[in-house]
Amino acid sequence: MSKARRIAYFTDPYEHIVQISGVVIVAQDHDDRIALIRHRIPLHGGVLTLPGGGIEDGEDPLTAAKRELEEEAGITAAVWTSLGTTVPMTRSTMKLHMYAATNLSAGVQALTATEAEQGRTVEWMPRKDAVQAVLDGRIQLAGAALALLLADRI
């Protein structure tokens, strides 16, 4: 998998970061609850967010979303809806593909060693509470916040 790196932009003094693109998934069960991931990351401490991650070389975004949802949350979904694509930062090459996933089936998380060290756990929150968590700042990662707000509109 590619790693992010800082490179000089063509018009100095600006720089940009070359990063892999990613996916984020709003997985909603039949009880109108959203699957959230809680974990610790060095830069931000404790984080509550949606399942998601990087798109591997040669992988299309939907395939990556299906893989990430199963790996991080142990969930598969029968129905997938694109919520669109966003660019999280002006100085980054990353694109973030957002999806809603429904008709869920439970499985088992398949975390990497790093993800397990971060203490990743799945929490279920009613949709209206997840949206409120965005509005009151408990869900702070921009991609997750945008995806939840978009999913609340469909």
Side-chain angles (χ1 to χ4, degrees):
M1 183 179 287
S2 304
K3 299 288 183 190
R5 60 188 172 92
R6 185 165 227 137
I7 64 170
Y9 194 75
F10 294 118
T11 53
D12 285 334
Y14 298 104
E15 293 180 337
H16 70 267
I17 302 169
V18 176
Q19 292 179 288
I20 61 171
S21 290
V23 295
V24 64
I25 305 101
V26 181
Q28 181 178 318
D29 72 6
H30 64 278
D31 291 325
D32 205 29
R33 299 178 308 159
I34 304 295
L36 297 169
I37 304 294
R38 185 176 299 278
H39 60 108
R40 296 175 313 279
I41 53 177
L43 198 56
H44 301 292
V47 173
L48 183 62
T49 191
L50 294 171
I55 299 172
E56 295 179 358
D57 290 337
E59 190 175 37
D60 68 89
L62 180 56
T63 301
K66 290 177 179 180
R67 176 182 50 76
E68 287 290 348
L69 182 61
E70 188 167 10
E71 287 175 2
E72 286 201 351
I75 297 169
T76 58
V79 178
W80 289 84
T81 305
S82 174
L83 299 171
T85 302
T86 190
V87 179
M89 300 181 298
T90 59
R91 293 188 177 175
S92 170
T93 60
M94 174 193 267
K95 291 183 179 176
L96 186 64
H97 304 270
M98 301 169 289
Y99 292 93
T102 56
N103 291 10
L104 307 180
S105 297
V108 178
Q109 282 179 300
L111 301 176
T112 66
T114 301
E115 291 169 336
E117 286 175 12
Q118 294 172 342
R120 291 190 186 208
T121 58
V122 179
E123 297 181 13
W124 291 91
M125 185 178 287
R127 178 197 276 243
K128 66 179 181 67
D129 294 345
V131 169
Q132 186 59 46
V134 170
L135 299 176
D136 66 25
R138 286 177 286 148
I139 295 176
Q140 296 182 339
L141 299 180
L146 177 59
L148 275 164
L149 295 175
L150 289 171
D152 192 49
R153 296 290 189 189
I154 59 171

